[in-house]
Amino acid sequence: MLFAHDTECGLTAAAALVNTDGRDGEGLPDIAALDRFVTANQWTGRHEHTEAELRAVRALRPRLRRLWDDDPDTVVTVVNDLLRESRALPQLIRHDDEPYHVHAVPRDAPLATRMAVEAAMAVADLVRGDELGRLRHCAHPECANVLVDLSRNRSRRFCDAGCGNRVAVSAYRARKAAGGRP
């Protein structure tokens, strides 16, 4: 593990949320999709299952995308704004058989607020460790997804949508068509 467990979870959940706002359509089209997203990313605490909550989570995505798109000083401004607006107060807590980790808002805070703060706290760790370069865009030319490179050697280039496999298959087919080794 390169970072604390809650930092890694916050980063990967933020990337997953940003990637639901894809060019291929809405990744959170309804409350059921949000429910699946919450379950898949192991969000605990308050979850209202309402259209208002869905709209709030969707509205958060462009702000989180800025964490991948902007320069470090702007990223810091975005992080500070998210924490200030949420009235974040970091505390060590333990729940659901997890070891101590940091929560900066109560578990009964709105889902979008908790998502914003978890992302902001995780990115704050990257800023402090001079590791913002781990927030990347997928290297596939037709993909707009973001990713978090948590590899030790900083070598991750593709998102989780299968882009790495598509590149490998294309390269294999090109080699085979050129008469090279498969």
Side-chain angles (χ1 to χ4, degrees):
M1 179 177 355
L2 297 171
F3 301 101
H5 176 72
D6 53 334
T7 297
E8 290 185 9
C9 290
L11 293 170
T12 56
L17 181 58
V18 168
N19 291 340
T20 65
D21 195 11
R23 292 183 180 165
D24 296 333
E26 176 58 62
L28 295 175
D30 52 31
I31 295 169
L34 178 59
D35 291 346
R36 288 188 299 275
F37 181 85
V38 166
T39 300
N41 288 280
Q42 301 177 343
W43 285 99
T44 60
R46 178 177 162 192
H47 178 31
E48 298 173 350
H49 312 277
T50 63
E51 286 292 329
E53 182 179 63
L54 176 61
R55 284 191 303 274
V57 169
R58 285 179 182 162
L60 176 60
R61 297 180 302 194
R63 293 185 77 188
L64 294 184
R65 182 171 277 281
R66 293 185 64 196
L67 300 172
W68 276 263
D69 292 345
D70 288 338
D71 64 273
D73 290 335
T74 305
V75 167
V76 167
T77 299
V78 171
V79 166
N80 287 338
D81 288 348
L82 290 169
L83 294 173
R84 187 179 315 103
E85 291 166 15
S86 302
R87 296 188 174 108
L89 178 61
Q91 298 180 36
L92 287 168
I93 68 162
R94 196 169 44 186
H95 63 85
D96 299 327
D97 296 325
E98 294 289 331
Y100 278 108
H101 55 282
V102 177
H103 278 221
V105 291
R107 289 170 50 119
D108 64 348
L111 179 61
T113 299
R114 292 193 328 274
M115 290 176 163
V117 170
E118 292 292 327
M121 293 290 293
V123 172
D125 279 352
L126 292 183
V127 170
R128 291 178 330 120
D130 196 26
E131 294 283 356
L132 273 177
R134 291 184 179 273
L135 299 182
R136 299 193 178 150
H137 293 87
C138 181
H140 192 284
E142 296 173 14
C143 183
N145 283 349
V146 298
L147 61 101
V148 180
D149 182 1
L150 295 174
S151 67
R152 289 194 182 276
N153 63 358
R154 295 171 176 83
S155 61
R156 185 164 177 213
R157 298 176 43 223
F158 300 104
C159 70
D160 291 332
C163 291
N165 288 339
R166 283 193 288 278
V167 168
V169 167
S170 293
Y172 171 80
R173 289 180 180 156
R175 285 191 308 272
K176 194 169 181 175
R181 280 186 35 203

